[in-house]
Amino acid sequence: MRYAGVVVDISGGKLDRMFTYRIPERLEEQVRVGDQVEVPFGKGDRRVTAFVIEISDTSSYAGDELKEILEVSPRGVAVESHLIELAWWMKEEYGSSMLQALKTVLPVKRTVAPVRRRHIRLQVDETEARKFAEGLSPGRSAAQLRLLEALLTDGRLPYETVTGRLHIGASTIRSLKEKGIIQVEEETDYRNPVQVKAGEAKDVQLNEEQQRAVNTICGDDAGGIHGTYLLYGVTGSGKTEVYMELIDRMLHTDRQIIVLIPEIALTYQTVMRFYRRFGDKVSVLHSRMSEGERYDQFVRAKKGEIQIMVGPRSALFTPFTHLGLIIIDEEQEASYKSELSPRYHAVGVAEKRASMTGASVVLGSATPSLDSFYRCQEGRYKLLTLSRRAVKEARLAQVEVVDLREELLKGNKSIISLRLGELLADRLKKGEQSILFLNRRGFSGFVSCRSCGEAMKCPHCDVSLTLHRGGRLICHYCGYETALPRVCPSCGSRYIAGFGIGTQKVEAMVAEQFPEARILRMDADTTAKKGGHEAILSAFADGEADILIGTQMIVKGHDFPRVTLVGVLAADLSLNNPSYDASERTFQLLTQAAGRAGRGALPGQVVIQTYRPEHYSIRTAAAQDYDGFYAEELPYRQMLHYPPVYAMMTLLISSKDEAAAGRAARACAGLVERYIDRWKTDGAPQRFRENTGAAAREPELIGPCDAPVSRINDIYRKTLYIRHVDRRVLVTIKDGLESLTGWREEKGGVSVQYDISR
Ligand code: ADP
Ligand code: ZN
Ligand code: ZN
């Protein structure tokens, strides 16, 4: 007799544990760990879905006391049991229910209608296509030319790639089809998103530093050492070439590779580089895929049809059986952290998965997270540096900082400084392109005093207020509304309406100052239409505008070779964030923005406008000096006991009922306080006795207090921060808290979420 331990797919606190079922003889061959099965559940034997997490030959119950599994869900992918183990580890390490962790890790089959797939290919031969292309005007038919060029290189492209990544509209496709130049094929069977012949990649001879990086990692691997490596090199220093060489070596040892890339950087160019080198050994996941399509890619991985999976965070759970390497590009990106429970960080999970299967982890970045760089200094990661750009001609942009306080003294009330205005005029004259960038998330402008830099904040929420039509200031979290004050509440200056006014106002001002300029704006209004975002980028890439105005989304991952000027309008805006890593995020954003200028043959210039030119985030970003930034930021984290020096756990306790949220928060705090008191009187708990220095001291509790945004949508949010040098102490405290609050999210209308730093 064989038994299966399952977790049932029903929410409810009491159910988040393992239940044992008998495996009937007829299913004995079929049931595997990781399968989805149907089981009778509860008094009425309701039929429910469950996940098999364990199979054994013995059970502590007598066989006839147990119910039987009814059937195995069709076409389930049995994943390696190590993925179940990984889910268990995630639940323990980040705090969530087992069901939430399983659902994160296991590919879930959803029944979906077969998707129609469309591909575009050339209808004529290459010579004829080239002849046709020569007859087109590069200005008016830029989109047609771009499509032809792509088809001449890659033969056949998915329809979505053409409309999406290549920014080519349906009318262009229709017109080329009508002329008999291309054809659109349809098929229902989903195979590989792109078909290219492997080996079309250009032959690159790795330079000395690249070679050293490859040799270090492969040498360790051959010697049975599997660590984490940080590949630190500016954009263009050849990190991707290093990744590809590593992948090549892994393939020679018959092992598989996962490559994580932030969704926003999953650009056509990057993905095509992998396809050209490795052909159909590669598959790509992206958020536009349906659940069914993702699932199909996991099935192919499991069957061994592909060896390399490229994708965002979720690609981490590709059920490869011989994983050798996990690469995480742009490792500092915030999108590697999950917003849902379990709130895992991709780097942490990658390291765990790698250690379970004897794989290595390679992190790549031009501006490494403090977390990773600190680990290098501590000797936990190996640092591999690429110190210069791989291609000689490619130069770093020249950066200038403009002090906005002086602009006002000079009588310039425009949000474009005199210097930036001068350079914009120069680019317009030369016919080169410029980008103007407001560095903050979202679109709507918030207001700050132009004399002292003070931002207008909501009195209830501690978020900045947004300026709306008619001079109303509104809080986007709680709805608080007030009139725009006439003078700055903190310094009395009259110049407060001027700034943060959002992209719309910027556009109006630029248009007034440069009536001849063709301007494109990218914000909530202009991208609301489906595909609006990409249509704008494509128009800009085609040279249909001189100036692109927008927010954060325009500085990431896009290549515009004709852009030679980038203006950052108010670098301080992201410094006003109430988060401990605001300086780090600002530094990264400014460095990225600077990287947008001069990516083609022409040299680039960057102007950073700021009220705080002396702030080290701005100073070091302007100098493109990561080491300088790190040297200033780390002591601050150390002094204030923030990550990466200390591990931090944030508890978010939320409820519609403010009093209930408050009570729950105080109960949690009480438990932590008792733990701290015991530590102070009895010394560290047994298992932490070997800790020395700061790690031997008791944990710190801050709160309970209102969360940085204390109420959203009428849900009150309380928070608790707990810090300790040893992350394991926080996990132990979390376990204690879970027994108090229940590991289910909801209990008596109060939900508790855990968030533990890397
Ligand atoms: P990163 O990933 O660090 O931004 P890439 O790998 O994309 O850098 O390299 C930037 C450019 O330099 C690419 O066009 C790439 O093909 C080229 N390149 C990289 N390494 C070399 C090399 N060793 N020799 C010649 N060209 C290289
Ligand atoms: Zn508010
Ligand atoms: Zn002021």
Side-chain angles (χ1 to χ4, degrees), residues 81 108 134 142 188 196 198 201-202 365 374 448 506 546 719:
S81 52
V108 176
E134 274 160 25
T188 45
V196 245
K202 66 173 168 183
S365 180
Y374 181 67
S448 57
V506 174
D546 307 303
T719 191

Side-chain angles (χ1 to χ4, degrees), residues 724-742:
H724 196 266
V725 174
D726 186 345
R727 191 180 184 282
R728 295 174 310 155
V729 170
L730 302 183
V731 173
T732 306
I733 294 175
K734 180 214 62 161
D735 292 343
L737 286 167
E738 277 181 337
S739 63
L740 176 76
T741 60

Side-chain angles (χ1 to χ4, degrees), residues 295-323:
Y295 180 85
D296 286 350
Q297 295 313 306
F298 277 180
V299 173
R300 296 180 63 218
K302 174 73 185 168
K303 282 190 192 150
E305 291 176 15
I306 52 173
Q307 273 70 46
I308 305 157
M309 184 66 91
V310 180
R313 208 171 61 214
S314 58
L316 206 49
F317 306 111
T318 307
F320 281 136
T321 47
H322 297 95
L323 186 64

Side-chain angles (χ1 to χ4, degrees), residues 211-416:
Q211 198 61 57
R212 194 180 313 135
V214 170
N215 289 345
T216 305
I217 296 164
C218 293
D220 282 356
D221 179 62
I225 301 168
H226 297 107
T228 302
Y229 304 84
L230 175 62
L231 185 61
Y232 162 39
V234 293
T235 312
S237 59
K239 297 184 292 296
T240 309
E241 294 297 336
V242 171
Y243 303 154
M244 293 201 290
E245 183 61 24
L246 288 170
I247 292 171
D248 210 34
R249 302 264 193 117
M250 277 297 148
L251 291 175
H252 280 106
T253 61
D254 284 325
R255 282 177 298 167
Q256 298 134 347
I257 303 95
I258 293 171
V259 184
L260 301 190
I261 292 180
E263 178 82 30
I264 197 143
L266 265 174
T267 55
Y268 175 76
Q269 291 100 319
T270 313
V271 169
M272 285 322 267
R273 278 172 81 181
F274 285 99
Y275 276 124
R276 289 209 188 93
R277 176 111 175 222
F278 302 109
D280 55 16
K281 290 192 180 69
V282 183
S283 182
V284 176
L285 293 181
H286 54 80
S287 63
R288 283 170 224 237
M289 284 176 151
S290 67
E291 294 252 13
E293 288 173 315
R294 288 164 165 273
Y295 180 85
D296 286 350
Q297 295 313 306
F298 277 180
V299 173
R300 296 180 63 218
K302 174 73 185 168
K303 282 190 192 150
E305 291 176 15
I306 52 173
Q307 273 70 46
I308 305 157
M309 184 66 91
V310 180
R313 208 171 61 214
S314 58
L316 206 49
F317 306 111
T318 307
F320 281 136
T321 47
H322 297 95
L323 186 64
L325 177 66
I326 302 175
I327 293 166
I328 305 186
D329 191 33
E330 307 276 358
E331 61 88 29
Q332 80 287 353
E333 277 294 313
S335 64
Y336 285 129
K337 168 97 186 212
S338 172
E339 296 288 315
L340 303 169
S341 285
R343 302 190 60 159
Y344 69 93
H345 195 290
V347 173
V349 174
E351 291 182 288
K352 179 63 184 175
R353 188 164 181 202
S355 77
M356 288 162 71
T357 55
S360 310
V361 177
V362 174
L363 312 176
S365 180
T367 52
S369 63
L370 240 70
D371 284 319
S372 296
F373 210 73
Y374 181 67
R375 281 167 170 79
C376 288
Q377 312 263 286
E378 282 195 308
R380 287 154 75 187
Y381 293 177
K382 259 189 205 170
L383 180 64
L384 304 164
T385 308
L386 305 180
S387 56
R388 55 197 137 71
R389 288 201 166 170
V391 182
K392 290 239 163 45
E393 309 85 78
R395 268 165 299 173
L396 292 174
Q398 176 212 329
V399 186
E400 296 172 47
V401 176
V402 170
D403 187 339
L404 287 172
R405 293 168 303 192
E406 286 173 15
E407 290 295 313
L408 202 59
L409 291 176
K410 285 180 201 157
N412 175 23
K413 292 185 193 120
S414 163
I415 45 175
I416 306 289

Side-chain angles (χ1 to χ4, degrees), residues 464-664:
S464 298
L465 295 165
T466 304
L467 183 61
H468 283 246
R469 238 167 248 131
R472 304 298 293 169
L473 287 174
I474 299 175
C475 169
H476 279 190
Y477 285 94
C478 77
Y480 169 85
E481 214 180 307
T482 181
L484 182 67
R486 283 181 208 288
V487 296
C488 169
S490 98
C491 79
S493 160
R494 286 187 300 119
Y495 296 105
I496 44 174
F499 227 108
I501 1 185
T503 46
Q504 220 170 336
K505 191 68 184 283
V506 174
E507 182 184 15
M509 292 181 105
V510 174
E512 197 184 302
Q513 203 170 336
F514 303 101
E516 75 281 17
R518 296 167 304 157
I519 303 171
L520 274 173
R521 173 166 58 91
M522 199 153 104
D523 62 19
D525 299 333
T526 60
T527 56
K529 275 183 296 170
K530 194 162 180 280
H533 182 149
E534 276 162 342
I536 294 168
L537 292 175
S538 127
F540 191 60
D542 286 349
E544 287 170 26
D546 307 303
I547 300 173
L548 175 64
I549 297 169
T551 48
Q552 182 154 322
M553 58 165 70
I554 65 178
V555 304
K556 291 201 175 166
H558 305 292
D559 258 336
F560 300 110
R562 272 180 285 180
V563 171
T564 59
L565 175 64
V566 171
V568 180
L569 296 175
D572 335 55
L573 289 182
S574 61
L575 279 177
N576 290 334
N577 258 341
S579 162
Y580 74 84
D581 63 356
S583 297
E584 184 178 2
R585 294 284 162 215
T586 301
F587 173 81
Q588 287 165 352
L589 219 49
L590 293 180
T591 313
Q592 272 170 355
R596 292 304 107 194
R599 296 174 69 80
L602 302 163
Q605 257 180 309
V606 179
V607 174
I608 297 177
Q609 304 190 151
T610 176
Y611 287 102
R612 296 156 80 180
E614 70 289 347
H615 193 284
Y616 62 92
S617 292
I618 290 168
R619 249 193 309 110
T620 53
Q624 316 220 3
D625 175 13
Y626 177 82
D627 298 329
F629 172 75
Y630 181 84
E632 298 237 21
E633 178 73 0
L634 194 74
Y636 154 80
R637 303 278 181 96
Q638 168 97 55
M639 191 171 69
L640 298 177
H641 295 187
Y642 280 129
V645 186
Y646 276 64
M648 182 157 95
M649 173 160 73
T650 308
L651 244 69
L652 180 65
I653 298 141
S654 45
S655 174
K656 279 204 160 100
D657 177 353
E658 187 171 17
R663 275 195 305 275

